[in-house]
Amino acid sequence: MQLPQATIEQLAEQLESAELLCSDIVKITDDHPQMDWEDAYAIQYELRRRKQAQGHRLVGLKMGLTSFAKMKQMGVENPIYGFLSSDYVCPDGGNVDCSRLIHPKVEAEIAFVLHTALKGPNCTVADVLAATDFVIPAIEVIDSRYRDFKFDLKSVVADNCSSSRFVTGGHARRVQDVDLRSLGIVLEKNGEVIATAAGAAVLGDPAASVAMLANMLAERDEYIAAGTFVMTGGATEAYSVEPGDSVTARFQDIGSVSLRFS
Ligand code: 0L1
Ligand code: MG
């Protein structure tokens, strides 16, 4: 690690204030170019600790930057992971208040719920399929705390991978009953199709995203516990939303999920 613990805590507090005050900040590496990966995840885990200290619950984990479309959009090459907090949860068809956000964007994602813990290293797609209780459609609302959504990978890891809100809906289906790779996804904004994808857009198979999460967590001696909800990453690039917009993501065989923005 390059940053002292006091700086890690101070940066987590800054990111938390940016979220709560809806006020953007410059990316961390502008002032701390020496920040390494350990520091970046240490800041994220400190943010997570602060959320829990305020009474919010950890309700899941997420992968980010798992599709080629997202990697290309953000100019990066590696997936990253973050946490999902109970204050991010929205009801299906519910309203997101944009005055509480800086510059929200939406992503259509396939989410997994596990009945068995997954431990890396060497976790495989087959392991994930065997450990999965069901898959379910989701929309993630991301909202980078960094000015103009501009950051490098370490800064965005510290910012909990731009996590902000999410919603699940549609039907929970067993993985054995769907073909995750050819599963079609249609993302609509205000009734117009803005993006289409198949499940394979996410690392060739969304289950590979869950396997990668288990393998990345193993580097910290952590694992995905039984019962965990995991979002596998946007299958398409992310799309900006503003007050008045409504967004629906339709998933072949597993239904649709939607959100309104005011
Ligand atoms: O959920 C995501 O894919 C977000 C990853 C972080 C990068 C971004 O803000 O797009
Ligand atoms: Mg996402």
Side-chain angles (χ1 to χ4, degrees), residues 21-187:
L21 301 173
C22 310
S23 155
D24 58 16
I25 57 177
V26 295
K27 66 182 192 302
I28 291 179
T29 46
D30 284 4
D31 293 329
H32 301 278
Q34 77 278 30
M35 176 168 81
D36 66 15
W37 287 106
E38 243 185 293
D39 295 321
Y41 277 105
I43 295 167
Q44 184 193 116
Y45 276 68
E46 173 61 15
L47 260 179
R48 175 167 148 174
R49 190 199 64 74
R50 292 180 71 91
K51 286 257 184 212
Q52 288 173 305
Q54 289 154 18
H56 302 302
R57 284 172 302 107
L58 179 70
V59 294
L61 297 171
K62 65 170 261 188
M63 288 289 279
L65 305 174
T66 49
S67 67
F68 182 61
K70 277 285 303 190
M71 290 187 209
K72 188 166 166 229
Q73 180 181 32
M74 305 316 297
V76 297
E77 289 174 357
N78 295 306
I80 53 182
Y81 68 87
F83 66 89
L84 298 171
S85 174
S86 52
D87 58 320
Y88 301 164
V89 177
C90 299
D92 188 12
N95 183 62
V96 175
D97 178 358
C98 292
S99 72
R100 308 284 311 276
L101 303 174
I102 303 168
H103 37 206
K105 296 185 184 185
V106 291
E107 304 183 321
E109 307 205 11
I110 297 173
F112 284 58
V113 174
L114 306 181
H115 54 61
T116 303
L118 277 175
K119 292 187 191 181
N122 307 318
C123 181
T124 64
V125 165
D127 296 331
V128 173
L129 298 180
T132 300
D133 198 359
F134 58 86
V135 289
I136 188 167
I139 294 174
E140 181 174 28
V141 182
I142 53 171
D143 190 35
S144 174
R145 268 54 68 168
Y146 299 122
R147 195 148 307 153
D148 301 325
F149 241 101
K150 294 249 162 47
F151 42 70
D152 53 277
L153 223 40
K154 289 174 191 148
S155 295
V156 76
V157 163
D159 184 29
N160 192 24
C161 308
S162 310
S163 305
S164 160
R165 302 283 186 278
F166 71 91
V167 57
T168 58
H171 325 293
R173 293 286 298 268
R174 286 156 27 101
V175 271
Q176 294 77 8
D177 297 338
V178 288
D179 180 344
L180 288 169
R181 286 174 297 182
S182 64
L183 191 150
I185 302 167
V186 177
L187 183 61

Side-chain angles (χ1 to χ4, degrees), residues 69 108 183-188 193-199 201 235-237 239 250:
L183 191 150
I185 302 167
V186 177
L187 183 61
E188 295 174 2
V193 174
I194 53 171
T196 57
T236 65
E237 52 181 87
Y239 290 86
R250 301 182 192 282

